Amino acid sequence: PTTSRPCYEHCEAVSQGRGTDEKQLQSFLIREAHRHARHLEPLNTAARVAGQALDLVFVTDEIPLPGDNERIVCDLLALRRDEAGRQIPVVVELKSERALTRLLEQVEGYARLVDLHADLFAQLFAVLLGELVTFGGPCEKVIVWPALSGGRPEPRAAELAARGVTVVGYS
């Protein structure tokens, strides 16, 4: 710009609505990603503790898309690089309640849209990450919700894994 006005004069405060546990978790994960070169280290660490190899890289958040009956929004979009170097898109849904039916509709619906428009999403990822992105597989789905008390295992983990959904609990 040719103006000498400081950039903060172009900004305005916008109400973000009510604060929720989910929004606090989302803010925490994004803040940590920025501290760790975009890596979603809290989720990656939780996976390593569970014996899984996971390296999620934060791409963006809250992109609304038209759905069947209403718009659908994804909490986080991430990129996973597997052991072979393939780049896989990942939809991450965050919830402060364990409401599985609605959550599955969201995560599976958004993943379907990513797969349907994979070339466009790969272009978006490339622009935001500043690197060439070519998806090497279908969109993966991750749900992050409250862990069960006492460190109990997720009772529906096998069922969700069969649907291609990874579950991460938080406290």
Side-chain angles (χ1 to χ4, degrees):
T2 58
T3 180
S4 62
R5 293 173 52 191
C7 66
Y8 63 82
E9 290 183 20
H10 300 282
C11 300
E12 64 181 84
V14 176
S15 172
Q16 297 298 309
R18 62 183 177 84
T20 64
D21 291 343
E22 179 182 320
K23 293 300 178 194
Q24 289 178 358
L25 175 61
Q26 186 175 16
S27 295
F28 167 75
L29 289 171
I30 293 169
R31 185 174 55 250
E32 288 300 303
H34 287 295
R35 288 183 181 159
H36 294 96
R38 297 190 83 102
H39 293 266
L40 288 164
E41 204 50 42
L43 299 181
N44 297 338
T45 299
R48 282 192 295 274
V49 168
Q52 302 168 1
L54 187 65
D55 185 18
L56 295 179
V57 175
F58 171 71
V59 177
T60 190
D61 68 324
E62 299 291 335
I63 295 183
L65 296 174
D68 292 334
N69 300 320
E70 60 186 351
R71 74 183 185 123
I72 184 171
V73 179
C74 166
D75 290 324
L76 300 175
L77 280 174
L79 183 70
R80 181 179 74 81
R81 292 180 179 92
D82 69 9
E83 303 79 30
R86 292 183 310 154
Q87 299 169 314
I88 311 295
V90 181
V91 172
V92 181
E93 278 298 322
L94 311 171
K95 286 295 176 230
S96 54
E97 297 177 5
R98 296 174 61 89
L100 186 59
T101 302
R102 176 70 177 134
L103 189 51
L104 284 173
E105 288 172 5
Q106 288 177 293
V107 74
E108 290 176 336
Y110 207 96
R112 263 191 307 278
L113 289 171
V114 171
D115 288 340
L116 185 63
H117 304 287
D119 290 340
L120 293 173
F121 274 93
Q123 290 176 37
L124 173 67
F125 280 41
V127 167
L128 294 174
L129 295 174
E131 64 183 74
L132 179 63
V133 174
T134 304
F135 294 151
C139 187
E140 295 178 353
K141 303 165 283 281
V142 175
I143 292 174
V144 180
W145 64 5
L148 295 170
S149 62
R152 292 179 294 153
E154 181 59 51
R156 299 182 77 180
E159 171 193 347
L160 293 169
R163 292 179 79 157
V165 177
T166 300
V167 178
V168 178
Y170 73 92
S171 54

